[in-house]
Amino acid sequence: MIARTTRPLVLYESGFAPRWYVPREDIQEKELTPVEGQTFCLYKGLASYYDIGEAKKAAWSYREAYTEVGRVDDLVSFEPDKVEVYLDGERLHLEPGQQVVPHGVDRGLGTDEVLSH
């Protein structure tokens, strides 16, 4: 077991399954291996990723989330299609079409440009 919490935070976003975030104090962080590189979310900021054992990019965190979504700042969320995630004893599964699929960006905005502001 990597994480166990009685105080998860749920984030609802249009078109995605609810994402559950866990406080770092409730995670065995030694089991998370930081992955090089980040992605940018227009609404939350820069996401950092973690491998868990053989599961690649199985968790992520917004280490410095935007003020508007500050409640998820530095919390960790787990991909239920890559690791087993349970809520109240029931295993979570992503519904078809709920995965985030990289599709490119309109003008080539990269994480370097975001970090420079």
Side-chain angles (χ1 to χ4, degrees):
M1 185 176 308
I2 304 299
R4 183 179 187 93
T5 190
T6 58
R7 51 195 180 130
L9 179 81
V10 64
L11 179 64
Y12 294 94
E13 296 182 84
S14 298
F16 294 105
R19 300 298 185 166
W20 294 88
Y21 286 81
V22 177
R24 285 187 183 271
E25 302 84 43
D26 297 344
I27 298 170
Q28 294 184 38
E29 280 203 71
K30 66 180 183 343
E31 302 296 330
L32 304 181
T33 304
V35 174
E36 196 169 317
Q38 296 176 301
T39 59
F40 171 69
C41 172
L42 182 63
Y43 305 106
K44 296 180 294 293
L46 292 173
S48 298
Y49 293 86
Y50 306 92
D51 292 344
I52 301 173
E54 297 298 316
K56 304 296 182 195
K57 293 187 177 180
W60 73 91
S61 179
Y62 292 91
R63 302 297 307 249
E64 295 179 23
Y66 291 151
T67 304
E68 295 81 3
V69 292
R71 292 182 64 198
V72 300
D73 185 64
D74 206 30
L75 302 182
V76 178
S77 190
F78 298 89
E79 284 286 6
D81 60 329
K82 296 182 179 183
V83 293
E84 292 182 14
V85 177
Y86 292 87
L87 177 65
D88 295 332
E90 185 174 325
R91 185 169 179 191
L92 300 181
H93 296 279
L94 292 184
E95 297 296 323
Q98 293 295 307
Q99 293 176 316
V100 177
V101 177
H103 56 77
V105 292
D106 293 338
R107 64 175 187 81
L109 179 65
T111 55
D112 291 341
E113 184 176 345
V114 174
L115 291 171
S116 68
H117 292 289

